Amino acid sequence: MSKSHALSSRLLANGPLFALALPVALQTAVFSSKSVVDTLMLGGIGELEIAAVGLAAKAQMIISFFIIGLSIGGGQVAAQCFGEKGASGEKKLLNTVLITLLLSLVTAACFFVLLFIFPEALMALGTQSPDVIAKGADYLKPIAFTLFCFAVTSSLACGLRAMHQPGIATKVSLIGVVLNLFLNWVLIFGHWGMPAMGIKGAAIGTLISAVVECLLLIGYLKLTKHPLAIIRPAQFITLKVSDIQIVGKLSITAAINSVVWAAGLFAFHAILGYSDADLLVALSVLAPIEALAMSLLIGLATAGSILVGNKVGAEQQGELSDTVRANLITSLVVGICSAVLLIVFKAPLVSLFFHNEVPSNAEALALTLYDIMAFSLVIKSLSMMLIVGVLRAGGDASFCLFTDIFAQWIVLLPCAFLLTHWLQWPAVYLFGLVLVEESLKLVVCLWRLKSGRWIRNLAAAMS
């Protein structure tokens, strides 16, 4: 059998990965598209609004990633519980979702205070422009209320994914993004008798759609008498401390990992764009395009974590290595295809964000950096699958956290600061540092995978 035929057979045989990945990828794309919708619509008003919503969205992204990290960590424990099967496995799964929900709501309450009371201080971390700070603060205050809805929907979604039912949350998310699109059209530009509210209207539209999305998901679970619908707040007091510690350790470590990664991305963009408004606009344009392109890779990594978690929870060590290998190959192929598609549609995608007859400096800079962003997807396809889809799914969350801290905060950011403020390198070389970061993570994670010390059955330790 030829190598190409063997590769094709392996990809075709990886049906469970795609069955889980596509709904998760669609849901991730839907989540990312909310900021894209805001940026596209506000681009019709001016580049100042693009910069404001781009910077505010990065701050929001850090918080969202913490909650997402909690859900991913909880979902990975839940996947191990689902692999255990039986009444015991089902009970452990429900308890895991309940613990994840509790942690997510507490987190939402803490970050609500930051976004609602101190939005100006948060915006000032990434720009010196008073206008950008003021407009970004107008966006963040309504967005603060969406955190509670997001905590509920992401926690329930983690349980649904662990049970191999990701499509339910995805359908609800689609309804939410369509509603968000309509409300943005009404509130940003002032249609149907509403006042034109600009950037504040985009935030209010996002808030209303988040509330509707949350209520729809809860209502659907109750109406269909889904096992997750039996979760009640009163059940919090029945949880055992030992179980909270097991789930909490992985979830909080995964959440911190997500924030470290997102904060590092925010800091990287802030270092590059702090003294150059054109570069800040270019990075704000590339961010949502990359987020949408990454959605399938994130979906694959999340789906891979479920399949790996199932094997670990079921103690199927013999099948685990085959699952890991197939997931890595699939993710690499998808990463290459995504990069090629981005290059093909480069000009039309970037032109969506700019409406000047003569290309501005920011648009030219965005086109220059675009190719690096596209190529980085190939390396990210492997590093993301290894970190999210394999090592953390096996219970090795602490090592994943160390890897991101080392690659971003010890290597990438100091180099970016040095080359930007001292040596004043051109933006194209500075942005290319992300390739160095991702390559470093890839090498370290492959070494950890080969060691075999990443496999830990957390479900077996729960009561």
Side-chain angles (χ1 to χ4, degrees):
M1 182 182 292
S2 67
K3 291 184 177 180
S4 60
H5 181 69
L7 176 61
S8 301
S9 300
R10 181 169 288 171
L11 290 174
L12 291 174
N14 214 6
L17 179 66
F18 285 109
L20 285 169
L22 293 179
V24 175
L26 184 56
Q27 187 177 10
T28 305
V30 165
F31 174 75
S32 302
S33 71
K34 293 180 180 179
S35 62
V36 176
V37 167
D38 292 345
T39 305
L40 283 173
M41 289 190 167
L42 291 168
I45 299 177
E47 291 188 356
L48 190 64
E49 281 73 15
I50 292 180
V53 75
L55 192 58
K58 287 185 179 69
Q60 178 199 1
M61 180 186 70
I62 294 174
I63 298 170
S64 298
F65 266 68
F66 193 93
I67 298 175
I68 290 172
L70 289 172
S71 299
I72 290 176
Q76 287 164 346
V77 178
Q80 291 190 10
C81 297
F82 188 77
E84 186 176 314
K85 302 296 183 182
S88 175
E90 182 177 342
K91 178 187 175 183
K92 292 178 181 179
L93 187 149
L94 293 176
N95 284 343
T96 299
V97 175
L98 189 61
I99 294 168
T100 304
L101 176 59
L102 175 62
L103 294 173
S104 299
L105 288 174
V106 171
T107 299
C110 294
F111 282 121
F112 171 84
V113 175
L114 179 64
L115 287 187
F116 191 75
I117 299 179
F118 305 107
E120 291 86 1
L122 199 59
M123 289 293 298
L125 294 175
T127 181
Q128 303 176 77
S129 169
D131 291 333
V132 173
I133 291 173
K135 289 181 179 296
D138 286 341
Y139 182 82
L140 287 176
K141 285 185 177 180
I143 288 295
F145 292 94
T146 67
L147 298 179
F148 297 102
C149 298
F150 187 56
V152 174
T153 54
S154 62
S155 299
L156 293 175
C158 88
L160 291 169
R161 287 195 294 266
M163 300 170 72
H164 292 223
Q165 300 173 14
I168 298 173
T170 301
K171 292 172 184 176
V172 173
S173 295
L174 283 172
I175 296 173
V177 77
V178 171
L179 180 61
N180 184 40
L181 179 64
F182 171 73
L183 291 174
N184 279 5
W185 177 75
V186 171
L187 298 175
I188 291 176
F189 303 108
H191 295 292
W192 283 21
M194 296 295 293
M197 302 173 68
I199 196 168
K200 185 180 290 186
I204 293 174
T206 301
L207 171 59
I208 295 173
S209 63
V211 172
V212 171
E213 186 177 329
C214 181
L215 293 176
L216 282 176
L217 181 57
I218 294 173
Y220 177 86
L221 294 178
K222 289 186 177 297
L223 185 64
T224 58
K225 298 181 179 180
H226 193 276
L228 292 181
I230 67 173
I231 292 177
R232 300 285 187 276
Q235 293 175 288
F236 288 144
I237 62 175
T238 67
L239 295 172
K240 293 188 176 181
V241 175
S242 59
D243 289 348
I244 295 176
Q245 290 175 337
I246 292 171
V247 178
K249 183 178 180 180
L250 181 61
S251 295
I252 294 174
T253 303
I256 293 173
N257 198 159
S258 298
V259 168
V260 165
W261 178 82
L265 182 62
F266 179 85
F268 180 63
H269 284 191
I271 290 172
L272 269 60
Y274 190 75
S275 58
D276 188 340
D278 289 332
L279 183 53
L280 180 60
V281 172
L283 294 173
S284 298
V285 167
L286 292 180
I289 296 176
E290 183 180 22
L292 284 176
M294 286 284 291
S295 60
L296 183 54
L297 298 181
I298 294 172
L300 284 169
T302 304
S305 73
I306 295 169
L307 298 179
V308 169
N310 291 165
K311 299 299 182 185
V312 172
E315 298 285 356
Q316 296 175 340
Q317 304 295 336
E319 300 178 16
L320 181 58
S321 59
D322 291 336
T323 299
V324 170
R325 189 180 301 108
N327 290 354
L328 287 172
I329 293 174
T330 303
S331 188
L332 176 60
V333 172
V334 172
I336 294 172
C337 294
S338 299
V340 171
L341 286 174
L342 278 182
I343 295 297
V344 170
F345 293 101
K346 173 181 176 179
L349 281 175
V350 174
S351 66
L352 289 174
F353 295 86
F354 297 95
H355 306 278
N356 301 319
E357 293 184 5
V358 179
S360 64
N361 291 333
E363 183 175 359
L365 196 53
L367 288 169
T368 301
L369 301 181
Y370 186 98
D371 292 339
I372 299 175
M373 180 267 292
F375 181 73
S376 70
L377 292 179
V378 178
I379 306 176
K380 288 179 179 180
S381 67
L382 288 174
S383 62
M384 178 166 291
M385 178 60 79
L386 281 166
I387 291 176
V388 177
V390 179
L391 301 182
R392 201 189 294 162
D396 202 16
S398 297
F399 181 83
C400 296
L401 174 60
F402 166 79
T403 301
D404 269 327
I405 290 176
F406 176 73
Q408 274 193 323
W409 292 89
I410 297 180
V411 177
L412 174 67
L413 295 179
C415 288
F417 185 85
L418 173 66
L419 298 177
T420 300
H421 296 282
W422 288 5
L423 301 181
Q424 298 181 340
W425 276 26
V428 63
Y429 296 114
L430 296 169
F431 193 66
L433 288 173
V434 297
L435 301 178
V436 177
E437 176 209 3
E438 292 297 331
S439 298
L440 180 59
K441 288 196 292 187
L442 178 59
V443 171
V444 172
C445 289
L446 285 173
W447 168 80
R448 185 66 169 182
L449 176 67
K450 188 176 181 180
S451 73
R453 290 180 291 175
W454 54 277
I455 305 172
R456 300 169 187 173
N457 191 342
L458 301 176
M462 294 182 67
S463 56

